[in-house]
Structures are given as structure tokens and as C-alpha cells.
Amino acid sequence: MTSSTTAPASAVPAHAFEFAERVRWEDVDLVAIVRYSAYTRLLDVVEAELFRAAGLAHPAMLDRHGIWLVRRVLHLEYHAPAHFDDLLRLRAWIGRVGRTSLTLHVAVFDDAGERLHAAGHLVLVAVEAAGMTAVEVPAEVTRALAPFQG
């Protein structure tokens, strides 16, 4: 996703993972608009659900591969406010898989999938759990995420 003030729904790949999440009371400010910081919770939700859909729930990453995927970069742009109790369409896809990292793109739309509320990306680095040093992204992880790669 490019950095811009508008990002049409067409910028999201057709094969992007999609998950619906409702705006909760703890996500909003005093006028019932989603707080900027609440979007990080939404990114966590869609990331976890995408990995679960790929058969890579976070505990499995540790159990099977001895790794964590830790956040190195979080870039987020806000486009339009969302409000309490709105149903949001969270769309996520893998933009790039490097030797030790992968880039996860995320777009947050309204329930109809037409209005973009926020968009951004995360760079996740594979680290071995014991010493937190960077390691190669396991081939099994790359294969499991292939259906969501754009």
C-alpha cells in the first residue's frame, strides 16, 4: 500500500485475508470515535486471525519452530473516523517475505468495504525465542502464508 491520503479498496489484493471486528467501548474516546491507538489492537486482531487461518497460530510458531515474529516497524495512516459499535472489515496480506522478516499490510474498512478508515503495514522479524536473535523465516511459514501473499 502506498503512502497517500486516499487508498481505494481496489488497492487491496483480491486474495487478502478478511476478518470482521466490531468497535468496542474501550476503543473510543469521549465522543465515541475510535482512538488512534486503538487501531493497533485491530492490527493485532487481524494479524492473529490471518496466522490462525494459515495454520500458524502464535503458540504453534513457538512450539513448531522455536520462533517469535516480533514487530520491527509499525506504519499506520488514518483516513476517516470510525465510531463505537461500527462493524469493521479488517483486510490483511503479506506484501513481502525476506530472509528474516515479512511485511504484513493491513487496511481497515467500513462494513460495506467502501470507506477506508486506516491503512498501514507491519514488518515482523523472525527471532529465536531463547535469545531473541534474528533467524530465517522457516520455509513452512512462507508456504503457509503463500495464499495471502500479494
Side-chain angles (χ1 to χ4, degrees), residues 71-82:
R71 281 104 196 109
R72 170 91 167 113
V73 173
L74 168 61
H75 176 87
L76 192 55
E77 294 185 23
Y78 306 96
H79 297 272

Side-chain angles (χ1 to χ4, degrees), residues 35-130:
R35 293 177 289 103
Y36 295 119
S37 60
Y39 283 96
T40 57
R41 182 187 74 77
L42 297 172
L43 270 59
D44 283 346
V45 166
V46 74
E47 174 193 346
E49 295 301 330
L50 181 149
F51 277 85
R52 181 175 285 113
L56 300 168
H58 291 311
M61 295 286 272
L62 182 60
D63 294 343
R64 274 192 252 159
H65 305 289
I67 66 166
W68 291 112
L69 291 174
V70 298
R71 281 104 196 109
R72 170 91 167 113
V73 173
L74 168 61
H75 176 87
L76 192 55
E77 294 185 23
Y78 306 96
H79 297 272
H83 300 88
F84 174 67
D85 212 33
D86 284 353
L87 186 62
L88 302 176
R89 298 285 169 193
L90 311 175
R91 295 182 180 151
W93 64 99
I94 305 298
R96 176 183 179 278
V97 177
R99 190 177 68 75
T100 62
S101 67
L102 57 91
T103 302
L104 176 67
H105 292 274
V106 178
V108 179
F109 287 92
D110 66 355
D111 187 34
E114 296 171 0
R115 186 173 193 194
L116 180 66
H117 293 290
H121 68 272
L122 301 163
V123 175
L124 307 172
V125 177
V127 299
E128 54 90 16

